[in-house]
Amino acid sequence: MQTILLIDDDEQLAPPLKEYFARYDLTLINETHPEKGLHRLKANIENDAGSIDLVILDVMLPDIDGFELLRRLRSSQIKTPVLV
């Protein structure tokens, strides 16, 4: 089963997406704050705790925007595909 990480501050978005993706044997995990999303992705890779196969990233996030978060992801050698 493949895993998708959703980084979006809209808390109402994840539950219906989780249900929808489950129909296609995809697992959705989510973070509502960009720093927590980045930390979760880094920790997942460092601990080899089942890979995150795709990141869905919102552009308008609190504290830092999605483009800045994407720059941080790419500068940290994380090669996970990102859908903005």
Side-chain angles (χ1 to χ4, degrees):
M1 186 175 286
Q2 295 185 320
T3 303
I4 299 169
L5 172 61
L6 172 67
I7 303 175
D8 193 313
D9 59 333
D10 182 353
E11 295 179 11
Q12 303 299 315
L13 186 59
L17 281 178
K18 190 174 203 171
E19 186 177 315
Y20 178 78
F21 287 140
R23 295 179 192 171
Y24 300 98
D25 292 326
L26 299 169
T27 301
L28 180 77
I29 55 177
N30 72 295
E31 291 293 344
T32 56
H33 193 275
E35 292 290 344
K36 288 182 180 179
L38 181 59
H39 178 73
R40 185 169 196 157
L41 189 56
K42 284 181 178 180
N44 186 276
I45 290 169
E46 289 170 1
N47 298 329
D48 197 28
S51 68
I52 292 175
D53 301 291
L54 174 71
V55 176
I56 299 176
L57 178 59
D58 185 19
V59 173
M60 297 178 61
L61 293 166
D63 299 329
I64 61 171
D65 66 26
F67 296 118
E68 176 59 27
L69 182 59
L70 183 57
R71 280 190 281 278
R72 291 182 189 186
L73 285 172
R74 294 303 176 232
S75 70
S76 69
Q77 306 299 323
I78 295 172
K79 301 299 182 203
T80 305
V82 178
L83 178 64
V84 178

